[in-house]
Amino acid sequence: MRTVLILGAGFGGLELATCLSGARADDLRIVVIDRNDSFTFGFAKLDILFRDVAPEAVRVPYARLAHPRVEFRQEEVTEIDPRTRRVRTDRAEYEPDILVIALGADYDPGATPGFTEDGYEYYSMDGALRLRDRLGGFDGGDVVLAILGVPFKCPPAPYEGAMLLHETLTRRGVGDRTRIQVLTPMDSPIPVSPDTSEAIVEALTGRGIGYAPGRQVHALDPGRHVASTRNGDLPYDLFIGIPRHRVPAVVAASGLTEGGTDGWIAVDPHTLRTPYPGVYAIGDCADAPVPRAGVFAEDAARTAAAAIEAELRGTAPSQRYSGRGACHIEFGDGLVGKVDADFLSGPAPVAPFTAPSQELAREKAAAAEARLRRWFTG
């Protein structure tokens, strides 16, 4: 019996397990490990924050994973040795034939001085709930929403947050007493897609939301409620940040990030293999030339599945990673836009934009339901 061990059950891990469950191999065993007991779409945090959706309503228990040959274990990964493919958790030890790291990216709020003491975020479940409580008593003032480091998960999410925040405060009657500014160290919201960037900037401007590209927040002063930037200090009544991202500590300690850019796992961009035999990395933790987003982890999982099947058969991989993914973007008022990105298939990345509509809002919901049907049963 040959074993594939998948660390992490997000977009990448779930898609990989689903693909491999149908592999043409009678002696294949697939073990998926995650410290959580359930899966949640990243965009669900916006529903919790702005639409008063309960966390329990958006969690999908991993107990519903019932694919052939797939075993789920709720465990905390404590040690990874990529040279021997040995993995230790808080409950067991594993030595698989194939190891796949799909542990995503962790947040590092302490990397920005003052942010832990005086800032809010909505990228985590706890953060979204904490910010929702804060907004419940917000009576207007200066709001700064800042991207604190690059790369970060889901490039459109900061702008979705700004537009939905404006919609929420306007509905509550405090929009005219609120000034929202979005700060980013990037030159545009979605660099690979000028049309998408233009649509987002126009949407921000139309709502009176300030937009400051190329402006990095270096620290907060909790006593004065001031954000420090190279262009001067910026006062705020509410500071919302997209925290800096980093690989999980267990990955950093494993040596897998050697040779990767800025502390991410080095991979072959065509196969997602690491420099270690039988070890792959997919999704947000991997140094692949694509944004950090679930749709790209999903595409990477399909490529890795083909490469793993080929490796188990002793043949060459049948496909190369294309870096494709369709991202839906919330514009508020029930409207959703879409950008279809293809980073690696052609000579240059392409990412056409489709204007916001209610039809795309329905498409987004249908795509989420289709994924849940594919990944989970029961």
Side-chain angles (χ1 to χ4, degrees):
M1 181 68 70
R2 293 176 294 178
T3 300
V4 176
L5 180 64
I6 302 170
L7 306 183
F11 268 68
L14 288 172
E15 179 65 16
L16 179 59
T18 301
C19 290
L20 290 177
S21 71
R24 299 175 183 175
D26 295 332
D27 62 342
L28 186 61
R29 172 179 174 241
I30 304 150
V31 179
V32 182
I33 293 176
D34 199 286
R35 64 186 176 188
N36 299 302
D37 65 357
S38 56
F39 169 79
T40 304
F41 284 112
F43 64 75
K45 283 126 184 167
L46 295 174
D47 294 331
I48 291 168
L49 179 55
F50 297 114
R51 298 179 178 120
D52 206 28
V53 173
E56 296 75 20
V58 297
R59 291 191 176 110
V60 183
Y62 288 126
R64 287 176 51 187
L65 267 175
H67 292 294
R69 300 187 285 195
V70 176
E71 306 169 24
F72 174 75
R73 310 277 180 85
Q74 186 183 357
E75 300 174 10
E76 180 85 29
V77 178
T78 59
E79 185 180 341
I80 302 169
D81 184 346
R83 294 165 186 81
T84 61
R85 297 190 295 278
R86 182 180 294 113
V87 173
R88 288 190 174 90
T89 73
D90 56 352
R91 297 185 182 182
E93 183 173 314
Y94 302 85
E95 292 188 37
D97 299 278
I98 301 290
L99 173 63
V100 184
I101 316 299
L103 288 169
D106 281 352
Y107 307 126
D108 191 6
T112 303
F115 180 56
T116 301
E117 296 84 356
D118 204 34
Y120 292 81
E121 53 88 11
Y122 55 89
Y123 266 50
S124 69
M125 189 74 76
D126 289 344
L129 291 168
R130 179 171 172 263
L131 179 55
R132 186 175 73 178
D133 291 344
R134 174 70 176 89
L135 289 176
F138 185 70
D139 196 34
D142 290 311
V143 179
V144 173
L145 195 161
I147 296 167
L148 300 177
V150 178
F152 59 95
K153 297 180 186 180
C154 191
Y159 310 99
E160 293 179 304
M163 289 185 279
L164 293 175
L165 176 62
H166 176 271
E167 179 183 45
T168 298
L169 295 179
T170 299
R171 185 173 61 246
R172 284 184 42 212
V174 298
D176 58 349
R177 301 197 298 273
T178 303
R179 293 161 299 282
I180 303 172
Q181 294 187 71
V182 178
L183 276 62
T184 172
M186 302 167 66
D187 293 331
S188 63
I190 312 294
V192 72
S193 179
D195 289 345
T196 307
S197 294
E198 181 180 358
I200 289 174
V201 173
E202 285 183 358
L204 295 175
T205 302
R207 292 162 172 77
I209 299 172
Y211 170 63
R215 194 169 184 185
Q216 174 86 52
V217 171
H218 301 293
L220 305 184
D221 183 335
R224 297 189 299 136
H225 303 302
V226 167
S228 299
T229 78
R230 185 179 60 184
N231 306 97
D233 290 346
L234 196 63
Y236 59 82
D237 297 291
L238 172 61
F239 185 92
I240 304 171
I242 310 303
R244 286 183 175 273
H245 289 28
R246 57 173 173 79
V247 294
V250 68
V251 173
S254 71
L256 279 163
T257 60
E258 294 178 12
T261 304
D262 296 330
W264 303 96
I265 300 176
V267 294
D268 181 324
H270 303 305
T271 64
L272 290 312
R273 282 193 180 103
T274 73
Y276 301 95
V279 181
Y280 295 76
I282 60 175
D284 295 341
C285 62
D287 187 22
V290 298
R292 267 66 177 176
V295 291
F296 298 110
E298 191 177 16
D299 191 33
R302 291 189 281 267
T303 302
I308 290 167
E309 287 191 62
E311 182 170 343
L312 293 174
R313 291 194 305 266
T315 61
S318 60
Q319 65 186 67
R320 292 156 62 101
Y321 183 38
S322 63
R324 290 177 180 163
C327 292
H328 291 88
I329 305 172
E330 295 269 359
F331 279 77
D333 300 319
L335 302 177
V336 171
K338 184 172 73 168
V339 55
D340 288 286
D342 184 334
F343 279 84
L344 303 174
S345 293
V350 294
F353 176 68
T354 305
S357 67
Q358 292 182 341
E359 180 181 355
L360 284 176
R362 291 189 290 270
E363 179 182 287
K364 175 186 175 182
E369 287 299 322
R371 285 186 172 96
L372 295 182
R373 285 195 301 271
R374 175 171 168 75
W375 294 337
F376 297 89
T377 60

